[in-house]
Amino acid sequence: MKRFALSVLMAGLIAAPAFAADYKIMAPAAPGGGWDQTARTMQSALQDEKISSSVQVANVPGAGGTIGLAQFVNQATGDPTQLIVGGYVMVGAILTNNSPVTLEQVTPIARLTGEFEAVVVNASSDIKDMAGLVEKLKADPGSVSWGGGSAGGTDHITAGLIAKAVGVDPTKVNYIAFSGGGEALAAILGNQVTVGISGYGEFAEQVKAGTLRLIGVSSDERLAGVDAPTFKEAGVDVAIQNWRMVAAAPGITDEQKAAIIADIDKMVNSPTWQKTLTDKGWANTYLSGDAFAEQLKKDNEATAAILKDIGLVQ
C-alpha cells in the first residue's frame, strides 16, 4: 500500500508543471512606456507559457531609469528572483545624470528587442512632413519643442542627431523629457509640444486612428506595414535603433544566472512573446549571457561618444 501511495505521489510530481522561480520585474519608468510594456509582456509570456507561476511588475519612474536602477542595486543584491528591464535610454541617462549607480553593477541577462524611433506630430499640426519640420528647426530651433522620454535617452539623442544632420546646433534643441510614454503621448495629443519622438510602437495606435501624423522613422530602410519615409529618404542622414534588455540582481551565483537565462530563452522563443513582437513591431534582437555583456560594454562606449558629440555630456 505504501509503495502504491509513493508511486501515485511520484507520478503526480512528474505530471505537475515544473515552474522555475517566481519573479519580480522592475520597470524603472512610469506606466505606458516601452519599459513598462516590455516588463508586462514578459509577465504575460512567463506566466502564460508556464515558465513561472507568478510574476509581479513594479514601476519606479524617474531620471531615465537611474532612480529605479539605484533602488534595484541597493535592495535586490543576491536575490535571483529580482529582474529589471532597461535599455539604450538608461545607458545615456546614466551619463547625463552622472548616476553613481551604473549597469556595471547589475548582472546582464539578455538584450530582448529593438525598435526604431518615430517622429510624429498632432494630426492638426501645420507640419506635414520631415521637410516642414526641418524648415521650422532651421528658422528657429527653440520654437520646435520635442516631447520624448528621459533626458539623454534614445529620443533625446535622436533629436540631437537630426538637428546636427541638418546643420542646426544640437545644443539648441528644445527637448522636453517625460518620465513615461503615457505622459509624452498626452502632451503631443494636447498640442503641448511641437513634435513627439519615441519608439514607433508607442505611437502606432494613434497613427492608425488618425490622431497623430507619422512623418519619419529612424530605420535604414522602410518598415513593412508602416506608411512613412525613413529620415534618410527625407534628406536627414540619421539612422538609429533603440534596444531593450533585462538584467538580474548583483551578487547572484553563476548557477542562478544560468537558470534565469534559461527561463528568458524559453520566453523569447514562446508563441506568446513572438506574437507580441509582431503586434508591437518590435525587432527580435535577442542576445544573451556573455555575448550580451560584451555588446553592452561596447554600447556604453559608443553612447558616451555620441552624447559628447551632440553636447549632452562634457
Side-chain angles (χ1 to χ4, degrees):
M1 189 69 181
K2 286 182 180 179
R3 185 178 297 171
F4 175 76
L6 181 60
S7 299
V8 170
L9 176 62
M10 289 301 294
L13 289 173
I14 292 169
F19 289 113
D22 293 341
Y23 288 112
K24 297 175 184 175
I25 305 175
M26 179 188 288
W35 290 345
D36 180 64
Q37 290 181 38
T38 301
R40 294 186 190 281
T41 300
M42 290 178 66
Q43 180 185 42
S44 296
L46 287 167
Q47 291 180 159
D48 292 353
E49 300 292 341
K50 296 182 168 47
I51 299 166
S52 179
S53 59
S54 174
V55 180
Q56 299 175 32
V57 174
N59 295 87
V60 183
T66 57
I67 291 175
L69 179 65
Q71 180 178 311
F72 184 79
V73 167
N74 291 326
Q75 297 179 6
T77 298
D79 185 349
T81 69
Q82 303 263 11
L83 303 175
I84 185 171
V85 298
Y88 191 25
V89 172
M90 190 181 284
V91 173
I94 287 167
L95 294 166
T96 56
N97 289 299
N98 293 313
S99 173
V101 178
T102 72
L103 290 174
E104 292 178 356
Q105 292 168 263
V106 298
T107 304
I109 296 297
R111 184 181 65 197
L112 297 172
T113 64
E115 187 175 27
F116 293 106
E117 293 287 287
V119 172
V120 299
V121 294
N122 192 298
S124 63
S125 173
D126 60 349
I127 297 174
K128 306 299 181 186
D129 50 27
M130 282 294 288
L133 172 59
V134 169
E135 185 179 351
K136 269 188 183 291
L137 197 59
K138 285 183 173 180
D140 183 1
S143 71
V144 178
S145 54
W146 302 71
S150 305
T154 321
D155 304 339
H156 197 171
I157 287 172
T158 304
L161 290 174
I162 289 171
K164 185 179 178 185
V166 301
V168 172
D169 182 351
T171 64
K172 296 189 182 303
V173 167
N174 179 13
Y175 186 80
I176 301 171
F178 293 90
S179 63
E183 292 178 16
L185 182 60
I188 301 158
L189 292 171
N191 284 312
Q192 295 166 20
V193 293
T194 313
V195 297
I197 185 165
S198 189
Y200 172 71
E202 295 188 35
F203 297 137
E205 288 184 17
Q206 287 73 26
V207 170
K208 289 172 185 174
T211 54
L212 293 180
R213 180 183 302 125
L214 177 61
I215 62 174
V217 292
S218 68
S219 53
D220 281 303
E221 299 177 355
R222 283 211 176 202
L223 300 179
V226 177
D227 185 20
T230 66
F231 297 160
K232 289 185 175 183
E233 274 186 87
V236 180
D237 190 16
V238 171
I240 189 170
Q241 187 181 44
N242 188 12
W243 51 261
R244 299 192 184 113
M245 61 108 190
V246 61
I252 62 173
T253 67
D254 289 343
E255 291 78 11
Q256 289 168 334
K257 177 182 175 181
I260 295 168
I261 291 173
D263 283 348
I264 298 301
D265 187 63
K266 290 176 192 172
M267 180 195 79
V268 300
N269 287 296
S270 72
T272 301
W273 184 262
Q274 292 299 319
K275 182 178 185 301
T276 301
L277 294 182
T278 302
D279 291 347
K280 291 188 178 295
W282 293 348
N284 185 356
T285 61
Y286 186 57
L287 186 68
S288 66
D290 292 341
F292 171 56
E294 185 61 30
Q295 185 60 49
L296 183 59
K297 183 179 177 183
K298 292 177 181 176
D299 287 342
N300 275 321
E301 294 168 356
T303 303
I306 292 171
L307 290 170
K308 288 176 183 176
D309 196 32
I310 63 177
L312 291 177
V313 298
Q314 299 302 313

